[in-house]
Amino acid sequence: MERTFLMLKPDAVQRGLVGEIIARLEKKGLKLVALKMLKVDRALAEEHYREHRGKSFFEPTVQYIMSSPVIAMVWEGKNAVAQARLLMGATNPLNADPGSIRGSYALDISRNVIHGSDSLESAEREISLYFRPEEIFSYPKAGDDWLSE
């Protein structure tokens, strides 16, 4: 089983979309193994978006992620990274499938409601930024045997 990191951004929290988005991930069959609400400080924001340092959107993105609480989560499942990215939809909501999270709830690339790791390596790095190992739970979930062989 893979693990991936997802973050509901300030716009998702402010718009009251947290429950709906979590429900979509659960209904897909992914298992929530860690969750916390936090206010991201500058050091964490800069580390999270470090690969974008020097780009024109870096500072606005850092400012935005610090503007309001976020929901940090770790999800587990078969092909969790790819499954979550498919559910999220394209980064730019204009290119996101209508039924995806971004296709359903976002209008602008700078306010696209959710962040998700784009690879297993990114997932490991991002999970370690937001969670200590003891904050991530392993548990059997009823019905998992009905999701895949």
Side-chain angles (χ1 to χ4, degrees), residues 132-143:
R132 295 184 314 271
E134 62 271 15
E135 294 178 309
I136 302 170
F137 297 88
S138 290
Y139 61 96
K141 185 176 158 208

Side-chain angles (χ1 to χ4, degrees), residues 13-142:
V13 174
Q14 290 291 332
R15 294 174 55 202
L17 299 173
V18 173
E20 286 187 49
I21 295 171
I22 288 174
R24 283 182 175 216
L25 295 157
E26 287 179 322
K27 287 176 184 175
K28 180 67 174 179
L30 295 172
K31 179 168 60 173
L32 183 61
V33 296
L35 178 140
K36 68 169 76 166
M37 183 179 216
L38 69 145
K39 189 99 166 33
V40 176
D41 64 21
R42 177 163 282 280
L44 180 56
E46 287 186 0
E47 182 59 24
H48 181 95
Y49 291 112
R50 72 181 185 193
E51 68 273 10
H52 301 301
R53 186 172 273 122
K55 296 178 183 173
S56 62
F57 59 86
F58 177 75
E59 185 57 30
T61 301
V62 166
Q63 288 294 323
Y64 171 64
I65 209 68
M66 297 184 329
S67 68
S68 181
V70 301
I71 306 292
M73 303 173 288
V74 180
W75 290 85
E76 186 176 270
K78 186 175 183 180
N79 302 308
V81 173
Q83 293 286 357
R85 293 203 58 85
L86 187 62
L87 283 171
M88 287 174 17
T91 302
N92 186 339
L94 290 173
N95 302 324
D97 290 335
S100 68
I101 292 167
R102 289 176 175 146
S104 296
Y105 303 120
L107 291 174
D108 190 281
I109 194 167
S110 67
R111 300 290 186 268
N112 64 6
V113 303
I114 191 168
H115 164 84
S117 301
D118 62 4
S119 67
L120 285 173
E121 296 77 24
S122 292
E124 288 177 19
R125 183 182 79 82
E126 292 170 348
I127 289 168
S128 72
L129 287 175
Y130 291 88
F131 294 94
R132 295 184 314 271
E134 62 271 15
E135 294 178 309
I136 302 170
F137 297 88
S138 290
Y139 61 96
K141 185 176 158 208

